[in-house]
Amino acid sequence: MADYSFVNYMNTTPDGQHFDIYNTPFRNLRYIVPTSKSIVVDASLAGNAPTIAHIYLGSTSLWWVILHYNGLADGRTDIKAGDTLWIPDKRSLIAVLETQSKISTQITL
């Protein structure tokens, strides 16, 4: 099984501890990958991007895709009950991820 963890796709600071989710090839993910469906978040999914990713994309490690795709920054506080989230098409998403190589660029915060 492929590793789709965001650390394989995000720029890091020189200390390797911070990730810049908006300085990646995926900052415009919503324009690259078509939408599969939209969901209305219920109380059980609020603040839980990994569970949403598992249910709709088949992997908890794709939680960061849910954030990028919806223009969110924090999976714990930005996903609230009653919010509508767009879910990317899984087949198209995987094709995009598989064409990207690991980013080794370092950034300074």
Side-chain angles (χ1 to χ4, degrees), residues 14-69:
D15 65 8
Q17 299 300 309
H18 299 93
F19 298 98
D20 182 1
I21 65 170
Y22 295 105
N23 187 19
T24 74
F26 305 104
R27 66 183 168 276
N28 294 319
L29 192 60
R30 186 127 176 229
Y31 302 107
I32 300 169
V33 178
T35 300
S36 169
K37 64 181 83 178
S38 66
I39 63 165
V40 176
V41 176
D42 65 19
S44 69
L45 295 177
N48 199 338
T51 297
I52 295 169
H54 175 71
I55 292 169
Y56 295 100
L57 299 175
S59 174
T60 57
S61 67
L62 290 170
W63 64 268
W64 60 274
V65 170
I66 299 295
L67 295 183
H68 277 281
Y69 205 72

Side-chain angles (χ1 to χ4, degrees), residues 79-101:
I79 300 175
K80 300 175 184 70
D83 287 351
T84 298
L85 293 179
W86 298 98
I87 306 298
D89 176 70
K90 183 178 177 180
R91 183 175 300 150
S92 299
L93 172 66
I94 298 304
V96 168
L97 293 177
E98 289 178 347
T99 62
Q100 299 294 322
S101 61

Side-chain angles (χ1 to χ4, degrees), residues 3 11 64 100 102 105:
D3 180 10
N11 294 323
W64 60 274
Q100 299 294 322
K102 184 174 180 171
T105 305

